[in-house]
Structure formats: C-alpha cells, structure tokens
Amino acid sequence: EYLGDNIDVITNVLSFPNLEYMGREISNGQDTGTTYRQNITQILTPKLKCIKDQAHISLPLTSWDLPDIEYIGDSIFTSLQTAPIQTINIGSKVKTIKSTAFDRVDGATINIDLPAPDAGDTSWKADAPWGATNTTVNWTGIVQ
C-alpha cells in the first residue's frame, strides 16, 4: 500500500513491471507533510491496462509511456498542483480516455498510436486533449 523512501534512495525511475491496474494515490508524500520521492521523474508501467478515476498521481513525472493501456479515468493527476509531465505516450490498445483525464496537465505533448478521429467522431477520441491545456496531441497511428 505504501512505498517509503524517506532517505531519497529511489532516483529518477520507478519500475512496476507487472502492474496492470492503478487504483489510487501514487504520491510524493506531500499529504503527510513530507516530500519523499521528489526525484522520480518517470515510472515504468509496461503492462498497465487501467488507471482508475482520481488516481491522484502526484510524482514530478516528466514522461510516461503507456504501451498496453486500455482505460484512463478522469482526473488521474492530483488536484494539489499542475502535473509537470511533458510527454505522455499512449499505445494502440487504448479503448477509453475520459474527457478530463489530463485536467491537471499543462503544456505537454500526448502521442497516441491511433489514427486521428474523423470530423464527425463523437467517441472518446473527440475529447482530445482530455482536459489538458496548451497541449499537443499527435495521432501517430496509420489508417487501415
């Protein structure tokens, strides 16, 4: 449930090679008056399929690769501050990104391995950039 690092041993990258579901709170400890895990700028989640609504991610991530993600819920970053993330790479398996998934993201680039939505598309794709501001969405998938 908790990942402790009160002596800042964890640096740069935190790896969860078998994580498939992210429920709630991957945090730098600020809610408890501490500032642990301020060094973590990337988390590796190669098998992650689902990020629950209000996951409250509050690490100083600069990039995140989500090659197997299928579902990204609303407001996944904490409401305490704007997420510093610069790049989010989403694989072709994604089926849903909720309309406010990235509402704390500002100035990022989101690369998604799917073709861009058509003009009349009313699916989740049409909600891009899913609540983020000043954000570029690059649709890198090829139309079949």
Side-chain angles (χ1 to χ4, degrees):
E1 184 175 336
Y2 295 99
L3 172 67
D5 183 32
N6 59 358
I7 56 173
D8 287 327
V9 176
I10 298 172
T11 58
N12 299 335
V13 180
L14 187 58
S15 180
F16 298 101
N18 297 309
L19 183 69
E20 292 187 9
Y21 176 87
M22 185 178 289
R24 189 166 155 94
E25 196 102 26
I26 292 188
S27 167
N28 60 10
Q30 289 181 346
D31 293 346
T32 60
T34 61
T35 55
Y36 307 152
R37 297 167 296 283
Q38 288 298 318
N39 315 351
I40 299 171
T41 58
Q42 186 177 17
I43 55 176
L44 302 178
T45 53
K47 294 183 180 179
L48 188 62
K49 295 183 182 341
C50 175
I51 304 171
K52 183 181 176 272
D53 293 351
Q54 288 87 36
H56 292 176
I57 300 162
S58 66
L59 296 171
L61 301 178
T62 57
S63 66
W64 197 1
D65 293 336
L66 299 164
D68 272 4
I69 199 74
E70 294 176 9
Y71 176 89
I72 301 174
D74 280 321
S75 302
I76 65 168
F77 292 100
T78 186
S79 60
L80 299 176
Q81 75 270 342
T82 299
I85 198 157
Q86 299 164 3
T87 307
I88 302 170
N89 297 310
I90 299 170
S92 61
K93 295 178 182 178
V94 65
K95 294 179 177 89
T96 301
I97 301 175
K98 298 294 278 287
S99 63
T100 61
F102 303 123
D103 62 352
R104 301 291 179 210
V105 173
D106 183 34
T109 298
I110 299 172
N111 301 308
I112 185 164
D113 191 16
L114 289 175
D118 295 329
D121 194 334
T122 59
S123 73
W124 61 268
K125 290 182 178 183
D127 291 330
W130 308 284
T133 55
N134 305 312
T135 296
T136 301
V137 177
N138 296 316
W139 299 92
T140 60
I142 298 170
V143 177
Q144 299 289 336

